[in-house]
């Protein structure tokens, strides 16, 4: 739960100690810079003044997994920080917005592209979901609204394309690596 800032000569500029703890395997989420706020996750979302390290906000964004990184969205003229499970906070005040935990116990970092968030839905194959990767349209405002349904991607694998070992479910479909968006296509590895 410790956040620290260094200059490029290796001199520490500030240090902040959060509440710590986190998921069962520790805290892995990379921070994100939104304007002059550095947002981190370590058992909660915290926003710091990037210059001074002064705590600007905390938000109780609990999550089961912490492997993905925070991501940012510029909407309605201001920054929103998001976490892989679907927690969103308005960066100016740390207020939780939209629908919390909408992506479930997700691991990968979602993609934000063209007004849509593309995200994995936790461990969907284990739950019987044939649309484990979905798109959500971003609201026009950071003050109100909710994510609305966008495209859903059906995972149809041929028997010769991906061998399913039932003993390894739910990790038989690659729910860990974050997807990549490039030139109108989304790439994913198992």
């Amino acid at each position: 739960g410790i956040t620290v800032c260094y200059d490029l000569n290796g001199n520490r500029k500030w240090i902040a100690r959060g509440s710590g703890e986190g998921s069962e395997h520790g805290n892995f989420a990379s921070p994100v810079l939104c304007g002059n706020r550095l947002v981190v996750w370590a058992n909660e979302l915290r926003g710091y003044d990037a210059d001074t390290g002064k705590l600007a906000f905390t938000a109780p964004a609990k999550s089961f997994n912490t492997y993905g990184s925070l991501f940012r969205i510029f909407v309605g003229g201001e920054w929103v920080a998001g976490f892989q499970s679907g927690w969103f906070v308005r960066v100016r005040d740390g207020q939780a917005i939209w629908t919390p935990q909408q992506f479930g116990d997700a691991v990968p970092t979602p993609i934000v592209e063209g007004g849509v968030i593309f995200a994995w839905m936790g461990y969907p194959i284990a739950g019987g979901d044939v649309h484990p990767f979905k798109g959500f349209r971003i609201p026009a405002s950071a003050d109100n609204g909710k994510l609305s349904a966008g495209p859903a991607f059906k995972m149809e694998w041929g028997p010769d394309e991906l061998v399913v070992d039932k003993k390894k479910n739910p990790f038989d479909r690659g729910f860990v690596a974050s997807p990549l968006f490039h030139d109108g296509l989304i790439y994913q590895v198992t």
Side-chain angles (χ1 to χ4, degrees), residues 148-163:
S148 59
F153 299 82
K154 188 171 184 180
M155 300 296 158
E156 295 177 337
W157 302 100
D160 61 337
E161 294 176 322
L162 184 65
V163 178

Side-chain angles (χ1 to χ4, degrees), residues 99-183:
T99 305
Q101 296 286 105
Q102 188 153 356
F103 307 151
D105 189 16
V107 174
T109 303
I111 298 170
V112 179
E113 186 65 42
V116 177
I117 300 169
F118 297 97
W120 280 95
M121 301 291 102
Y123 297 107
I125 298 296
D129 190 347
V130 296
H131 300 284
F133 187 65
K134 298 180 182 181
F136 295 88
R137 289 181 182 81
I138 300 169
S141 170
D143 289 322
N144 54 39
K146 65 180 186 171
L147 298 178
S148 59
F153 299 82
K154 188 171 184 180
M155 300 296 158
E156 295 177 337
W157 302 100
D160 61 337
E161 294 176 322
L162 184 65
V163 178
V164 177
D165 182 348
K166 295 296 181 188
K167 296 176 187 172
K168 293 183 180 177
N169 202 352
F171 298 105
D172 59 2
R173 293 289 198 259
F175 296 34
V176 178
S178 296
L180 173 70
F181 180 97
H182 177 70
D183 203 19

Side-chain angles (χ1 to χ4, degrees), residues 74-114:
F74 195 70
V75 59
E78 62 184 305
W79 287 109
V80 169
F83 192 56
Q84 79 225 17
S85 63
W87 271 97
F88 298 94
V89 297
R90 194 172 47 220
V91 173
R92 75 172 134 96
D93 59 6
Q95 180 66 41
I97 59 172
W98 306 337
T99 305
Q101 296 286 105
Q102 188 153 356
F103 307 151
D105 189 16
V107 174
T109 303
I111 298 170
V112 179
E113 186 65 42

